[in-house]
Amino acid sequence: MFRGMFGRKRKESDFKSEIESHIQLETERLVEQGLSPADARAAARRAFGNVTKAQERFYEAGRWLWWDRLWQDIRYGLRQLRRNPGFTTVAIVTLALGIGANTSIFSAVNGILLESLPYPHPSQLVTIAAFVRFPGTGVVGFSGLSSDVWRQVQGHTPGIQETAAYRDRQFTFTGQQAPELVQATEVSGSFFQVMGVPPLLGRPILTPDTAPGENRAAVLSYALWRDFFGGDLSVLGRATTLDGVPYKIIGVMPRGFGYPNVKRGLWVPLVLTPKEATEFGVVSLVARLKEGTTVDGANAELKPEIASLGDELPPLLRKAKLVASGLKGQTVGDERTPLLILLGAVGFVLLIACANVSALLLARGWERHREVAIREALGATRRRMIRQFLVENLLLSLAGGTLGLLVSVWGIQMLRAIAPPGTPRIDHLRLEANVLWFTLAVSLLAGILFGLAPALQASGRGIGAALKEGFGGPAAGRSAGPRSHRLRGSLVIFEVALAVILVIGAALVARSFEKLTSLKLGFRTDHILTVTVNFSKSVCNPAGPANIARCKLALSEVLRRVRSLAGVESAAAASSLPPEAGGLMFSLHVEGRPNKIGLGQGNEIEVRFISPGYFRSSGIPLLRGRSFRDNDTTDSPAVAIVNEAFAETFLGGDPLGKRFGTSAGKNGGPQWRIVGEVGNTLDSSFNRYKPIPEYYRPLGQMNFFTGQNLLVRTGVAPMTVAAAVEQAVWSVDKDAPITDLKTMNRLVAEAVAEPRFRTLLLGAFGALGLLLAVVGVYGVTSHTVGQRTHEIGLRMALGARPSDALRMVIWEGMALAGAGIGIGLCGALALTRLLRGFLFEIKPTDPATFVGVGAALALAALAACYVPARRAARVDPVTALKYE
Amino acid sequence: MFTQNADRRLELLQGTLDLLILRTLVFGPQHGQGIARAIQQTSAEELLVEHGALYPALQRLEARGWIAAKWGVSANNRKARFYTLTSAGRKQLGRETTKWKRLAAAIGRILESGEA
């Protein structure tokens, strides 16, 4: 029985010879009874009955008839496909490109959007943050809350099952080759219960662990355990010292768990000092909702919470609202729209591919019309014929899908390589079950989509009509079938329209990207190395004035040693480096202005704390006055430098000598004197293209320590001095982890990585769509010419010139392409608004882009028509008429 | 196709051919033509077996594993496909015979009571 499913049980020839042997035996018996051999044979045959019918009955009674016919169709289909290698290759490659591109993008959608978070019931997990609406600048969220808010939320929100507080911090792990920073999170005792993930080894941090003075417990992440402890099972109970405090390892979390920011790091108990316990901005909250509570429901309960804290709130947060937001939406957050747009674009590519293959099939279906007619005349039912065609198409689409999978393996690698850094879960992209199902579904759908119309059309023509056309081959046929012709025409219109939409989308995004990258940044990007130095606690523990002085000393020592390195021209330190934004300033007094300025008043103002030499090293031009010097210290008058935008916006021109500050100085006026004015710089959120007012203060005058970001201007290729810079840092602080050792060029490239990613992908889809559409136009025009050779020959015999034939073919092809372009432009008008978030300095309906793309497609279509048109012009009337 | 004297013979009831084939093979391996002849002879030429109808039945029985087949040489040196009863076929024959006898007896009783 099993055998029967996969191969026919018995060959027909075997059955035939058995019947033959039966008749033979019967004949011989009858001859023995005295009949003549001829009569005996006739009698034996009569007794047997209808031989063919017996054969058929034998066969049809078989349980596997359906399967058998399918197998027959498949073999027949494979033969047909083998017989037309050109057609088969073009169709399969076209489909493979379409399906492969779709599979790649879907794997990203699957990996980033669809895959669930590695926590049980992730939809119950929310983070809680305070949101404040500022006039002018919109809503700002503060995730840093206080222990009071935590207790309030925990105690007074019935929809919340459990709330946990946490605070991010870093530890320096020494003992490896180079000191390394590891990410750590201090968590409350409820944290692991909220997350609902049990440890792989040992136990989680519990509330008793968070009591002050206890021996500190630590839970390792899987990656840290693997890389720093060699995956040793005996790690539990081991003591380890982190930043001078002893910790005892009590557990290891499973692979994949890293909430909130622990990739290769650890969790330690959250122990707050009495002061921290009352402060705002200390802890973040994550909570698990009760079963049946929605995020909206929780928010309805949360709203009054923050207000009820009343006077304890800092003034800034008085009007704040607590908002719970689902965890899942956050980790994928901004990726959603771009990915869905990409999925839409790549879907267009597949549709174009299908239209192309469909047109090819129509053309071939017409060539095969006689085969169909003959098979129908021999008794094949219409259903059987449609099935035969569908089987062939499914074979094509499955082959295309298989090849498409190979394409997507490469596509996924590409995606990973060009994805902007920080794309969530990008390393999770792979061909997994979901993706394979998707590919199979898309392949089958494509097979039915591109195959149904041609199948119906090819089998519905009627026997007589096809056979009457004689055996002269398709070229002799006068009736190409107006239906088939129209169908192919509409396919071309359809695919050209889709290609227009795709290319316009790609062109808009590409033009924005070009505008983005040609922006004047305001600082040099070449020959600059950036380094972040994280001083160890023993060298720099910035708490208390004496310690801050030590930190500043350590920093100037590092700068001195770096500046003396061969190849280094200058070096400086800053609280943050361009293209990263400076710190946001909440409120400032400016001399001569009655009102305060700043974020609280609807002005964005940024601040950076810098060392002397910063402007020289970064190439930001000094426009007026002087830059900071080494003797700008806490003992000298407080000074500041502002950028052009600051001077223009708040001081109305020349800023030198004017004063501003966070509060009134000793003599009543604002306390910082402006000593210089520098050029504007753009920060990484290039969409805020308008330069932001910014001011600089000397690091040496600050009563806190920041500025561990070094900017090293080199005379040689920047990375060649990287190792020496590291050594210079370590010669001052041997335990200082060094992070973000990069060139400025790379930093800037990373800032535009996301638009670059979209541009590359949409550009690739646009190019693919365009290519397929042009091939489609070419294919259909060229087929039409082939079909009409006879007609063209006749026209020429009657006096038409070759140029008339040329014009006729081009005119017909261009009429289709023109209609497609027209429809595509309208479609693009309706659809490009979806791209608004991707565009920069260009409108979604930018007329130049629309006209340009329309013209480009028209040209491409013209080229695609011209080649077959030339062939039409060269038709020799004599040869063409001889076809008859 | 009917032979000339077909009208005088009994046509086989649906499903009875399988039983007859199995019964015939109890006496040993036989080829298709032999089975047809045996059925006709043992039924004293009463039963009409269209030889062509035999083969689908043989095919069916073979597929169900009740008979097995292999090519061999007939008594008069002809190549022929010989069928043998399998043990499953023997059991099936038993079941079918019982069933058939009960059916025949039941029909007989009904017909007799009608005549009485």
Side-chain angles (χ1 to χ4, degrees), chain A residues 1 46 66 121 199 284 351 388 431 457 468 477 498 500 511 548 592 621 638 770 811 839 860 864:
Chain A
M1 259 170 81
R46 266 202 311 280
W66 187 86
H121 308 294
S284 306
L351 282 178
Q388 167 66 47
L431 285 177
Q457 183 260 333
K468 260 187 277 172
L498 288 181
V500 167
R511 289 194 59 193
I548 288 166
L770 180 65
W811 173 242
L839 301 185

Side-chain angles (χ1 to χ4, degrees), chain A residues 171-176 178-182 228 264 735-739:
Chain A
F171 283 120
T172 305
F173 236 77
T174 46
Q176 303 290 303
E180 214 175 314
L181 268 192
V182 298
F228 285 42
R264 202 174 69 167
D735 292 333
I738 287 174
T739 49

Side-chain angles (χ1 to χ4, degrees), chain A residues 50-133:
Chain A
N50 186 333
V51 176
T52 316
K53 208 170 134 210
Q55 260 167 339
E56 246 164 39
R57 256 194 304 181
F58 140 74
Y59 188 52
E60 301 219 344
R63 236 170 294 178
W64 316 115
L65 183 66
W66 187 86
W67 178 258
D68 221 47
R69 279 197 182 149
L70 183 67
W71 181 233
Q72 198 185 350
D73 285 347
I74 290 174
R75 276 181 319 175
Y76 185 79
L78 286 175
R79 255 200 326 271
Q80 285 294 326
L81 295 181
R82 257 206 310 274
R83 205 177 294 161
N84 286 288
F87 160 81
T88 308
T89 313
V90 170
I92 290 180
V93 168
T94 304
L95 286 171
L97 288 175
I99 294 173
N102 271 274
T103 303
S104 311
I105 295 299
F106 180 77
S107 79
V109 171
N110 180 57
I112 295 169
L113 293 187
L114 301 181
E115 204 169 86
S116 60
L117 296 170
Y119 322 117
H121 308 294
S123 57
Q124 290 175 6
L125 287 172
V126 292
T127 59
I128 296 168
F131 285 83
V132 187
R133 181 177 292 279

Side-chain angles (χ1 to χ4, degrees), chain A residues 366-384:
Chain A
W366 191 78
E367 274 155 22
R368 286 177 65 180
H369 72 288
R370 262 185 331 97
E371 170 205 331
V372 173
I374 290 169
R375 289 189 60 188
E376 282 186 348
L378 292 180
T381 59
R382 189 181 147 103
R383 259 181 66 186
R384 186 80 201 277

Side-chain angles (χ1 to χ4, degrees), chain A residues 565-871:
Chain A
L565 293 173
V568 171
E569 289 184 349
S570 66
S575 55
S576 68
L577 298 179
E580 205 178 302
L584 265 185
M585 205 52 217
F586 189 72
S587 191
L588 284 177
H589 296 268
V590 179
E591 197 177 42
R593 283 177 77 97
N595 298 323
K596 289 193 204 173
I597 56 168
L599 184 61
Q601 286 72 38
N603 311 114
E604 267 182 279
I605 300 172
E606 289 182 356
V607 56
R608 250 180 253 265
F609 305 100
I610 58 171
S611 76
Y614 175 79
F615 297 118
R616 184 153 33 96
S617 303
S618 61
I620 298 171
L622 182 69
L623 304 175
R624 283 195 177 101
R626 66 168 177 92
S627 53
F628 296 137
R629 304 188 187 118
D630 283 330
N631 57 13
D632 288 320
T633 62
T634 39
D635 302 327
S636 60
V639 291
I641 292 173
V642 298
N643 73 354
E644 226 180 329
F646 190 103
E648 272 170 22
T649 318
F650 302 121
L651 303 167
D654 188 354
L656 292 188
K658 293 189 174 151
R659 287 171 178 276
F660 70 102
T662 47
S663 61
K666 281 173 206 143
N667 51 4
Q671 72 277 42
W672 310 325
R673 196 167 55 87
I674 299 172
V675 296
E677 183 188 345
V678 294
N680 296 328
T681 57
L682 287 185
D683 64 37
S684 54
S685 50
F686 290 149
N687 284 332
R688 298 186 304 175
Y689 163 62
K690 190 171 53 104
I692 294 162
E694 182 164 13
Y695 70 91
Y696 299 85
R697 293 267 292 134
L699 276 171
Q701 290 190 334
M702 309 318 296
N703 59 358
F704 50 84
F705 179 71
T706 176
Q708 307 193 346
N709 301 297
L710 305 191
L711 196 125
V712 183
R713 170 95 163 267
T714 62
V716 294
M719 283 319 273
T720 56
V721 300
V725 168
E726 275 186 322
Q727 288 308 322
V729 171
W730 286 330
S731 69
V732 175
D733 179 356
K734 69 174 170 46
D735 292 333
I738 287 174
T739 49
D740 301 314
L741 189 72
K742 286 170 183 169
T743 66
M744 182 59 85
N745 270 328
R746 167 123 183 259
L747 270 182
V748 170
E750 278 175 9
V752 293
E754 218 170 284
R756 187 170 141 266
F757 177 64
R758 293 175 204 142
T759 308
L760 281 175
L761 278 185
L762 281 178
F765 297 156
L768 200 57
L770 180 65
L771 178 78
L772 291 176
V774 167
V775 167
V777 172
Y778 170 79
V780 167
T781 315
S782 145
H783 180 74
T784 312
V785 169
Q787 249 181 333
R788 292 173 61 182
T789 308
H790 174 76
E791 178 206 321
I792 294 167
L794 199 63
R795 278 168 190 262
M796 287 193 170
L798 292 175
R801 281 162 309 178
S803 62
D804 294 332
L806 190 83
R807 231 189 336 267
M808 182 184 79
V809 172
I810 288 186
W811 173 242
E812 282 182 14
M814 287 311 285
L816 294 180
I821 292 171
I823 294 172
L825 288 176
C826 295
L829 267 179
L831 285 175
T832 47
R833 76 186 58 178
L834 295 174
L835 287 173
R836 187 159 292 165
F838 286 7
L839 301 185
F840 171 73
E841 289 275 289
I842 193 166
K843 271 194 282 184
T845 53
D846 179 57
T849 308
F850 274 61
V851 170
V853 169
L857 255 106
L859 267 179
L862 189 64
C865 293
Y866 184 72
V867 179
R870 278 292 301 271
R871 196 144 29 88

